[in-house]
Amino acid sequence: MCGIMGYVGPAEAAPILIDGLQRLEYRGYDSAGIAVHDGSVVTIRKAEGKLERLVALLAESPPSGSTGIGHTRWATHGPPTDFNAHPHTDPAGDIAVVHNGIIENFLALREELGEKGSRFTSDTDTEILAHLIADEYEEDLLEAVRRAVRRAEGAYALVAMSRKEPGRIVAVRMISPLIIGLGEGETFLASDIPAILHRTRRILVIENGEIVDITADGVRIETLAGAPVARETLEISWNAEQAEKGGYPHFMIKEIFEQPDVITETLSGRIRGSSDVALEGVGFPEGFVAGLDKIWITACGTAYHAGLVGKEIFERKLRIPVDVVYAHELRYRDPIIRPNSLTIAISQSGETADTLAAAELAKGRGSRLLAITNVVGSTLSRISDDVLYTRAGPEIAVASTKAYLAMLIGEYLLTVRMGRDLGRYTDAESAEMIDGLRHLPQAAEEVLGRSEDIARLAEGFAGADDVYFLGRGVDYAVAMEGSLKMKEISYIHSEAMPAGELKHGTLALVTRGTPVVTVLTQRYVYDKTVSAIMEVKARGAHTIAVAYDDDGNAAKHADEVVRIPRVPDSLSPVLSAIPLQLLAYYVAVARGHDIDQPRNLAKSVTVE
Ligand code: AGP
């Protein structure tokens, strides 16, 4: 997630901007820059890499000025380079812009502005905004920004400065967060509270669809339609560490609650109209999908569990055989991987040694390599023929949550894309799938709204020695992920298995009070899965089912039912995984464990 800073006041802006950006470093980034207005000119300094490179650049020729904007970029459009770093300006250098998020229609705007003679120096959607504001500028920055953003679509936060208007910053929030800090004779702007908490605790939160006019004397907030907005000033009592976690006690729970926005961001800019999908970075040659005999999926851990979901949806819709193989297994086998195959390597970090080795092996045997990864410019992204970036932002907690959901969204988008290439989706069918995807952020919010119920449920697990997770089809794939979450942060032994496998041995382990969690959403195997619940209940297990809101039957068989909104069965993993993430989290909290850095584990296993 990018970091944004702004300052208007009596002090030199550059040191304040850098200090604020440094306090946002935990968010992860791959380039940084600032723009400073000295009353007559706007000076830009920006560089790829970490802030120390920018600081060194500034030391050579420190820009003077008391109005400024700054940015740390987590690359989405265009690799991390000096020229892709923010701020960006229009050709005349009159307008400087920093931006967080995605401008969905930036290609159309780029073409439209190009026809008017605009020339661009970067691969970014942000540069389009600078040109757009300059194109709309007459004599008032606020009105120019207002008119410009009416032409831009997407989820973003935008901050602009004009050479002609020193002492003024204008910002707009469309989903990506923005806050204002009110100082004495100075005003701060940031994408997150930690950047400015040491300067002021008086904060104004900017809401979606609002535009703010910032000067040293304070701020004026309006809706984009022009209606003035009165906003209560908050007095923030957090310490710095609490502020980095957005007030949450741990990064993991913060990231679990970020998931609705992550779904929105990962979908953003990739849906065309009501029934089509466009995946920048995925460029299958004409006829490639039709010529596929096989799809391989390779990954580790949570990413592997995302691949298990992918197998179910790819095979069901594309009717192409799919093998999902742990990367640490695939790399040492002599797999029969042939050229007319697609290998999907899934990795949040894009640096997992086993996954990289398996990906290279598949590529070496002529398979086309597609990466689903969260890190732009990661090793996996650079060795792949195609890249589908998840947009979960930096995932700090070792236990992966939001990146997992983003991987699933990536697989659904790929299914629609490939399904349409194969003619397996009518417009109506792909429209239905896309409509289902569009509703997921709201449905995920509803599940998160029930977190208190999960916290109460977790109390019954804290003393457990073993927990079992069951499911069939994609419910089994989710059970696998729920089991891993439980193991890796609560340290309780846990096992997931297909519900039908229980009677072939593991049932011997079930005794009085053994907690057994069953994911129960798939209509085609519903009764069979209920049978598994009855099997373990007959042996005294404490049974918990994850079921749809309107499932009137689950409560007849399970001791407890965790509810999720009904969605098309193929999309249910995006929702049914959330209660299992929360369950593991609350059990681990009850057991007093280190949540974000669990023992023995690393965030990215870059060694074998
Ligand atoms: C999941 O919570 C763990 N952090 C771990 O299983 C992880 O998913 C696995 O190491 C793969 O990491 P990657 O996605 O970065 O390749």
Side-chain angles (χ1 to χ4, degrees), residues 142-143 146 168-174 178-182 187-189 202-215 217-234:
L142 181 73
E143 294 315 314
R146 195 197 306 274
R168 190 184 197 189
I169 294 175
V170 172
V172 174
R173 177 183 180 181
M174 292 299 275
L178 271 182
I179 51 119
I180 298 286
L182 299 174
T187 307
F188 305 88
L189 167 77
R202 298 173 59 230
I203 301 293
L204 289 173
V205 175
I206 308 304
E207 301 295 352
N208 280 346
E210 293 178 346
I211 186 168
V212 288
D213 190 356
I214 303 163
T215 64
D217 301 329
V219 63
R220 187 157 54 92
I221 307 175
E222 293 179 4
T223 64
L224 280 174
V229 171
R231 180 64 33 78
E232 181 198 354
T233 302
L234 302 177

Side-chain angles (χ1 to χ4, degrees), residues 299-305 346-353 355 372-373 380 395 397-401 403 407 481 484-485 488 601-605:
C300 301
T302 288
Y304 172 83
H305 300 151
I346 308 176
S347 174
Q348 187 283 131
S349 62
E351 302 300 343
T352 299
T355 305
I372 297 181
T373 185
L380 181 63
E395 190 174 63
V398 166
S400 184
T401 53
M407 290 168 188
E481 177 55 13
L484 176 60
K485 288 283 113 18
E488 65 178 328
L601 301 180
K603 182 58 186 169
S604 176
V605 184

Side-chain angles (χ1 to χ4, degrees), residues 317-513:
K317 200 59 200 172
L318 308 181
R319 310 310 296 159
I320 298 173
V322 180
D323 259 356
V324 190
V325 184
Y326 281 116
H328 39 75
E329 283 292 310
L330 188 66
R331 68 179 293 187
Y332 296 114
R333 282 188 193 166
D334 183 9
I336 305 167
I337 296 178
R338 296 197 173 95
N340 49 352
S341 66
L342 172 67
T343 297
I344 301 173
I346 308 176
S347 174
Q348 187 283 131
S349 62
E351 302 300 343
T352 299
D354 286 319
T355 305
L356 294 176
E360 292 279 14
L361 179 142
K363 195 170 162 69
R365 297 189 177 203
S367 185
R368 187 177 178 95
L369 181 59
L370 184 149
I372 297 181
T373 185
N374 196 41
V375 181
V376 176
S378 60
T379 303
L380 181 63
S381 70
R382 282 184 280 109
I383 66 173
S384 296
D385 300 301
D386 304 293
V387 184
L388 199 169
Y389 283 116
T390 55
R391 295 184 192 138
E395 190 174 63
I396 311 294
V398 166
S400 184
T401 53
K402 62 175 184 173
Y404 168 76
L405 247 59
M407 290 168 188
L408 300 186
I409 298 300
E411 290 175 321
Y412 291 123
L413 289 168
L414 198 54
T415 304
V416 176
R417 179 65 274 138
M418 294 175 74
R420 288 183 64 89
D421 289 350
L422 286 171
R424 290 204 177 276
Y425 272 115
T426 64
D427 280 354
E429 286 167 336
S430 50
E432 185 186 354
M433 175 70 143
I434 285 169
D435 188 55
L437 289 170
R438 284 187 195 278
H439 282 87
L440 287 176
Q442 175 53 43
E445 286 288 6
E446 285 179 42
V447 178
L448 290 167
R450 304 169 186 175
S451 60
E452 291 299 312
D453 300 339
I454 308 291
R456 273 191 297 281
L457 178 67
E459 290 162 13
F461 282 72
D465 295 321
D466 302 284
V467 183
Y468 295 91
F469 291 80
L470 307 178
R472 289 173 187 261
V474 289
D475 285 344
Y476 161 60
V478 172
M480 287 284 283
E481 177 55 13
S483 175
L484 176 60
K485 288 283 113 18
M486 184 63 77
K487 279 183 278 194
E488 65 178 328
I489 60 170
S490 79
Y491 311 155
I492 294 174
H493 169 259
S494 169
E495 196 173 336
M497 72 186 63
E501 178 61 14
L502 198 66
K503 54 187 170 298
H504 297 286
T506 305
L507 191 57
L509 296 180
V510 174
T511 182
R512 177 156 305 288

Side-chain angles (χ1 to χ4, degrees), residues 189-330:
L189 167 77
S191 41
D192 205 353
I193 288 173
I196 56 175
L197 192 59
H198 60 303
R199 299 197 183 270
T200 176
R201 290 185 174 274
R202 298 173 59 230
I203 301 293
L204 289 173
V205 175
I206 308 304
E207 301 295 352
N208 280 346
E210 293 178 346
I211 186 168
V212 288
D213 190 356
I214 303 163
T215 64
D217 301 329
V219 63
R220 187 157 54 92
I221 307 175
E222 293 179 4
T223 64
L224 280 174
V229 171
R231 180 64 33 78
E232 181 198 354
T233 302
L234 302 177
E235 193 70 29
I236 300 296
S237 59
W238 297 336
N239 62 36
E241 191 198 349
Q242 286 169 318
E244 276 197 4
K245 294 166 189 159
Y248 289 97
H250 306 103
F251 279 110
M252 183 177 175
I253 192 69
K254 174 174 179 271
E255 289 160 1
I256 288 173
F257 276 79
E258 284 175 353
Q259 292 181 122
D261 285 349
V262 165
I263 298 168
T264 300
E265 293 262 348
T266 303
L267 289 173
S268 180
R270 290 167 162 166
I271 293 174
R272 290 285 177 273
S274 61
S275 61
D276 203 356
V277 158
L279 298 176
E280 83 284 351
V282 177
F284 296 144
E286 189 68 32
F288 168 74
V289 181
L292 277 180
D293 285 345
K294 178 131 184 188
I295 295 174
W296 294 82
I297 300 176
T298 192
C300 301
T302 288
Y304 172 83
H305 300 151
L308 291 175
V309 173
K311 171 185 170 65
E312 293 286 332
I313 52 176
F314 293 145
E315 283 195 338
R316 189 173 292 279
K317 200 59 200 172
L318 308 181
R319 310 310 296 159
I320 298 173
V322 180
D323 259 356
V324 190
V325 184
Y326 281 116
H328 39 75
E329 283 292 310
L330 188 66

